[in-house]
Amino acid sequence: MIPSVAALLELQVIDQQRLKLRKGREACLSKSDKAKAAWAAADESARTAQAEVDRHGALVRQYTADVQRCEATMAELRGKQPEAKTNKDYMDIINGIEQAKLEKVKREGSIKDLNARIATLQERADQANAKAAELKAQLDAAASGSEAAAQPSAEEAALEAQYNARRADVEPAFLEVYERLARAGKPPLVRVDPRTRATPQGAVLSHNQIEQIRTGKLVVDRGSNAILYLDDAERSAAK
């Protein structure tokens, strides 16, 4: 086996180990991102639910103030009844008191309805807040793991060093094809059976191509553009 292919086979093993570690880190980071998105959505729901409670609470305060105003108006008008000099003045006072009574009854009914709705809304808001707090705890736990996953581990760094050291033994033409396919996530190397001259995909190489591979020339598979190679052990067995 030519040195470049031997080195590439070693690089392929290192790549597989690096990919496994990188996928583990990416899964950890993805988990953190999903936890953050879930918490953000829950937190927004909790804020919206609490805002609805607060809005109804503001209406209760407004209507309570209206009730107090009506009571003050009624008391003031009743105080003026003895001072009425004409029937018109007296009827104006009576009508004013009745209007204040009607508004008071209406506002008190609204307050009762609002308080019932607030109780339901507050229960929902409490549930939303509890869910947001639960997801925040999950986010904090995931975030602690993602901090470590943000950078390659010592094992991954060691594999990177091995890769860089071994790639120096590969001819540039071979390395360019290998790394282009590896980056694309495609198999960069395809083994050729020296007895049948066939690839695992069923393509059959010519005798000339086999000879080129044996003499160390770069030969790529037409279908996948992967580097074709022969195994020394298989060659010996074939002979």
Side-chain angles (χ1 to χ4, degrees):
M1 184 179 296
I2 63 172
S4 285
V5 169
L8 287 178
L9 289 171
E10 289 186 30
L11 290 183
Q12 190 172 39
V13 173
I14 294 172
D15 266 340
Q16 291 169 350
Q17 295 172 331
R18 289 195 308 176
L19 180 61
K20 182 178 179 180
L21 293 174
R22 186 169 68 250
K23 283 186 174 180
R25 287 196 301 110
E26 290 173 349
C28 187
L29 292 172
S30 176
K31 182 179 179 181
S32 179
D33 290 340
K34 289 179 180 178
K36 185 175 182 179
W39 168 76
D43 185 61
E44 180 62 26
S45 295
R47 290 175 183 273
T48 301
Q50 190 59 53
E52 190 69 3
V53 172
D54 295 342
R55 186 176 70 83
H56 282 70
L59 285 174
V60 168
R61 291 190 295 274
Q62 177 186 328
Y63 291 168
T64 299
D66 289 342
V67 168
Q68 293 171 348
R69 174 177 51 76
C70 289
E71 290 175 344
T73 299
M74 289 161 56
E76 181 184 355
L77 290 174
R78 287 191 182 108
K80 290 181 178 180
Q81 278 181 301
E83 302 173 3
K85 295 179 180 180
T86 65
N87 286 337
K88 182 180 182 304
D89 291 341
Y90 185 81
M91 291 307 299
D92 287 343
I93 291 172
I94 294 299
N95 289 335
I97 291 172
E98 288 303 316
Q99 289 176 0
K101 280 183 180 179
L102 288 174
E103 184 179 355
K104 178 186 175 185
V105 170
K106 181 179 179 181
R107 289 297 188 236
E108 286 176 338
S110 296
I111 290 171
K112 183 178 179 180
D113 292 341
L114 284 169
N115 282 331
R117 290 161 79 183
I118 286 173
T120 301
L121 290 170
Q122 188 62 63
E123 183 179 357
R124 293 176 184 171
D126 291 343
Q127 292 173 350
N129 279 310
K131 184 63 176 179
E134 177 187 345
L135 291 174
K136 183 62 167 64
Q138 294 178 12
L139 170 61
D140 291 342
S144 62
S146 68
E147 289 179 6
Q151 298 297 328
S153 64
E155 183 181 2
E156 195 172 347
L159 288 170
E160 182 73 20
Q162 292 177 31
Y163 182 91
N164 291 331
R166 198 67 176 99
R167 77 191 293 273
D169 299 327
V170 183
E171 292 181 33
F174 282 78
L175 187 62
E176 189 277 328
V177 174
Y178 173 88
E179 292 191 330
R180 173 164 46 80
L181 292 172
R183 283 194 300 270
K186 298 178 180 179
L189 297 164
V190 172
R191 180 178 56 81
V192 179
D193 188 323
R195 291 162 295 185
T196 62
R197 295 180 283 113
T199 68
Q201 291 75 32
V204 179
L205 276 66
S206 66
H207 289 288
N208 182 49
Q209 287 175 307
I210 293 294
E211 210 45 48
Q212 286 180 326
I213 293 173
R214 285 175 175 165
T215 57
K217 292 184 178 180
L218 174 63
V219 181
V220 298
D221 178 52
R222 290 182 179 179
S224 64
N225 291 323
I227 299 170
L228 298 169
Y229 73 95
L230 293 165
D231 187 272
D232 286 333
E234 291 182 348
R235 286 170 57 187
S236 298
K239 291 180 181 179

